[in-house]
Amino acid sequence: MRWALAVVVASIAMYMWGYFYWMASGMPEQGLLPVVDAAAAGEALAEHFPEEGVYMVPGHDPTVEGFEELHTTGPLAMVYLTSDDGAPVMDFGMMYAGFCHMLLTCIFLSMLLGLTFGALPTLFYRIRFFIFVGFLCAFYVQAGEAVWWRSPWSWQLVTGLYDWTALTIGGAVVSMIAPFPSYTRDEKNDAS
């Protein structure tokens, strides 16, 4: 029962942290540039990117005539067209899906903690473990986006900081509520 409670409370903590980070802290503005003319930009997107999906400019096929010159002279862009007909600013479906994503993440964090099987005997060791897990996940994904897809470092650092802190918070809350094993792996092996 404590494992289930740990997952639910950790999910709520991550959700609240996400609200603070993305809505109240002003951090996204550190990685986003303002659009000069949002209406004109939207019209251009609709004209040049006709359906939802991921586009690369000048493309991703080096065999296309003129590709190398277009790639060399720029600009280079990766466009995520997520809703060609718009969406509500506060979309309940997205909020619900986001909470479910965090709930599944916290289930995985609790499973990861369970796999340590007593190797993290104190709350300090558990939290330190999740600080590193959060950093590792954020580093691999966000630095990879910047390195391989040329995503701007400013945005990847903003999202990476969020990923790191959210996973650390989720793992810390799971660590505080989940039960500690009553024996270590060596004691279990000795008993069998």
Side-chain angles (χ1 to χ4, degrees):
M1 185 63 171
R2 283 181 59 188
W3 285 101
L5 180 64
V7 166
V8 170
V9 173
S11 301
I12 292 169
M14 285 178 72
Y15 196 81
M16 297 307 295
W17 171 244
Y19 172 80
F20 172 77
Y21 190 89
W22 295 111
M23 301 298 288
S25 73
M27 283 302 293
E29 287 74 21
Q30 303 306 310
L32 295 172
L33 298 174
V35 178
V36 176
D37 185 344
E43 289 173 14
L45 285 170
E47 179 184 347
H48 296 288
F49 308 106
E51 61 186 68
E52 293 181 13
V54 180
Y55 297 88
M56 293 188 75
V57 177
H60 196 257
D61 186 357
T63 63
V64 172
E65 186 177 332
F67 173 82
E68 189 172 331
E69 182 181 343
L70 289 170
H71 200 278
T72 303
T73 59
L76 305 177
M78 182 174 258
V79 178
Y80 298 91
L81 190 66
T82 57
S83 182
D84 53 3
D85 58 352
V89 175
M90 293 300 288
D91 184 354
F92 175 76
M94 183 176 64
M95 296 296 158
Y96 174 74
F99 182 78
C100 290
H101 173 248
M102 291 177 187
L103 186 70
L104 284 170
T105 300
C106 289
I107 289 171
F108 295 141
L109 290 173
S110 66
M111 291 170 67
L112 185 60
L113 181 61
L115 289 172
T116 65
F117 203 79
L120 305 171
T122 67
L123 183 59
F124 171 77
Y125 285 118
R126 286 178 166 197
I127 292 175
R128 187 177 72 172
F129 173 73
F130 282 114
I131 290 171
F132 181 73
V133 166
F135 177 80
L136 177 64
C137 292
F139 174 79
Y140 181 78
V141 172
Q142 303 305 337
E145 287 287 316
V147 169
W148 296 107
W149 299 110
R150 294 186 173 97
S151 295
W153 278 102
S154 58
W155 180 246
Q156 298 314 129
L157 290 172
V158 167
T159 55
L161 179 61
Y162 169 73
D163 290 344
W164 181 16
T165 55
L167 289 170
T168 298
I169 288 168
V173 173
V174 166
S175 295
M176 289 186 270
I177 299 173
F180 284 86
S182 58
Y183 54 86
T184 65
R185 183 184 299 232
D186 292 338
E187 290 171 343
K188 182 183 181 207
N189 290 338
D190 292 343
S192 52

